[in-house]
Amino acid sequence: MRPAPTDTEAWNAYLAEGNAGQARKRVSADVILRDLAGRILTVNPTYKEGWDLPGGMAEANEPPDQAAVRELREELGLEVTIHRLLVVDWVAPHGPWDDQIAFIFDAGTLPPARAERVRPHDDELSEAVFLPAAEVADRLRTRQRNRLNAAVRAISDGSMRYLRDGVEAW
């Protein structure tokens, strides 16, 4: 039997029971961070094959933009400001993984002195380099490449892109 909303304790227990049955999504949050030449920061993770944009997985109950800021601080020692959302990509379940929501944020441009000092700060990354967008795309896996390309278009035209499994949905 459903309790009355006026019975706060019983109502919250009822809602918590319903919440426990809801889907849980993995959330990743990456950034496009450029140098003055317009090159994009690209990182080489040690824990998986291939290169990636800087960022990572959100922790439980962590907003995606704050996850991106935290990841850049932890992995690269960078304090960045998120300017806007560029891409949201729903990633279908694959292999052992459930579905995921992947965000890409615009973190702006680093001044030359800061860009020259970007280095990995922990053992999760072996390299961090600024590259032209085409070279970044060549280093990424297909879904990530599609996200990058959508993010570059979003920067160019001031839009935000929604993808489903790496393909622009609208």
Side-chain angles (χ1 to χ4, degrees), residues 28-33 54-59 62-84 103-108 114:
S28 68
D30 295 337
V31 302
I32 300 288
L33 183 62
M57 300 305 289
E59 296 176 352
E62 181 180 37
D65 58 325
Q66 289 180 9
V69 169
R70 176 186 50 76
E71 287 285 343
L72 267 74
R73 183 183 317 113
E74 290 174 359
E75 295 179 354
L76 296 164
L78 287 174
E79 291 296 330
V80 299
T81 299
I82 299 299
H83 296 281
R84 69 186 186 94
F103 294 86
I104 298 181
F105 296 97
D106 183 356
R114 286 185 67 202

Side-chain angles (χ1 to χ4, degrees), residues 81-149:
T81 299
I82 299 299
H83 296 281
R84 69 186 186 94
L85 177 62
L86 299 170
V87 172
V88 175
D89 184 13
W90 175 78
V91 181
H94 56 284
W97 302 106
D98 291 334
D99 67 338
Q100 168 187 345
I101 305 293
F103 294 86
I104 298 181
F105 296 97
D106 183 356
T109 303
L110 282 181
R114 286 185 67 202
E116 291 168 3
R117 292 192 311 269
V118 173
R119 303 278 183 278
H121 269 53
D122 66 18
D123 60 1
E124 289 189 27
L125 302 177
S126 63
E127 297 174 78
V129 296
F130 286 91
L131 298 169
E135 287 185 43
V136 175
D138 288 343
R139 293 180 183 219
L140 300 178
R141 292 181 300 279
T142 302
R143 185 182 300 122
Q144 293 166 311
R145 181 180 314 116
N146 292 346
R147 267 186 228 142
L148 168 72
N149 292 334

